[in-house]
Amino acid sequence: MKVFSSVYTFDYSWEECSTANWRKYCPWNDKSPHVIAVDTLSREVDPATGILRTERLITCHQQAPAWVVSLLGGSNTSHVYETSYVSPAEKRVTMCSTNLTWANILRVRETVTYQPDLTASSPGHERTQFTQDAKITALCGGWQKIRTKIEEASVERFSENARRGREGFEAVLEMSRRVFGEERAREQAKLH
């Protein structure tokens, strides 16, 4: 098993990040053209805790290495199952995802959290800490060298995708702030 970990601070409030998270794969994000569809499977609020729980299926077009496709078959379409928990009381979003495609060969378990970064925030300038952890395990029997190579290559690719994902989410956050700001200004103008 190989592990990928990353911590990043977005220069946006938790409210902005938790709201924009639902638009992460929209046209504003030009860094995620590989995401073909995001289907919400279920969504419910726990009446006791106020936590919003959502299950989604994310469909992607991922160019797998040619040798992998020729050896294992399959296509370049992959599916990821994601469960997210939004706790407004704790100001915390937790998203857990796992690959469904080729899960018998390679297992990727990712956990992402968004929460206020109290050490980097100041009044009127809130920031959000983004933590991303992934455990990547190749499941190819006793071939340790092959398993290690697959895991190393997967962590490297995951790292590249994570960087592009953060860049794309920054674009979504920027556009959201602008669009919501313009809408607030229009509403204020109507009141006066």
Side-chain angles (χ1 to χ4, degrees):
M1 177 179 68
K2 299 289 182 196
V3 176
F4 169 84
S5 291
S6 142
V7 177
Y8 183 80
T9 301
F10 286 107
D11 202 17
Y12 294 85
S13 69
W14 179 84
E15 288 79 6
E16 289 173 297
C17 288
S18 62
T19 301
N21 180 57
W22 302 111
R23 283 189 230 65
K24 189 184 308 187
Y25 302 117
C26 76
W28 296 344
N29 183 349
D30 64 353
K31 303 290 183 187
S32 64
H34 65 288
V35 177
I36 300 167
V38 178
D39 298 300
T40 300
L41 306 174
S42 72
R43 178 173 282 155
E44 61 188 12
V45 175
D46 182 322
T49 64
I51 293 175
L52 170 66
R53 181 181 185 278
T54 305
E55 294 179 65
R56 303 193 303 177
L57 179 67
I58 302 169
T59 305
C60 304
H61 178 79
Q62 301 257 347
Q63 191 66 39
W67 67 268
V68 172
V69 175
S70 66
L71 183 66
L72 304 174
S75 73
N76 289 324
T77 301
S78 62
H79 301 283
V80 174
Y81 174 75
E82 173 192 271
T83 306
S84 64
Y85 305 88
V86 179
S87 174
E90 296 176 342
K91 287 193 171 186
R92 182 180 182 95
V93 175
T94 303
M95 300 165 59
C96 306
S97 62
T98 188
N99 62 306
L100 299 177
T101 306
W102 290 341
N104 59 331
I105 297 165
L106 183 71
R107 182 180 23 219
V108 180
R109 306 261 194 243
E110 177 187 25
T111 302
V112 164
T113 60
Y114 295 90
Q115 57 191 19
D117 187 340
L118 302 176
T119 63
S121 296
S122 59
H125 187 80
E126 296 175 23
R127 300 176 81 192
T128 300
Q129 183 180 70
F130 169 74
T131 305
Q132 183 177 29
D133 295 299
K135 294 178 180 161
I136 300 170
T137 307
L139 306 168
C140 38
W143 303 335
Q144 184 60 42
K145 272 190 165 178
I146 293 172
R147 193 167 55 226
T148 299
K149 288 289 185 194
I150 290 171
E151 290 173 351
E152 288 171 352
S154 298
V155 166
E156 184 177 319
R157 185 170 186 165
F158 194 95
S159 177
E160 293 167 11
N161 288 343
R163 180 187 49 78
R164 279 196 301 276
R166 283 190 307 271
E167 290 171 3
F169 191 51
E170 284 276 3
V172 170
L173 286 163
E174 182 181 331
M175 183 64 82
S176 295
R177 183 179 275 178
R178 192 176 88 216
V179 168
F180 286 136
E182 290 169 358
E183 184 60 29
R184 276 192 298 276
R186 274 195 293 279
E187 290 299 317
Q188 288 296 323
K190 286 181 187 177
L191 296 174
H192 296 0

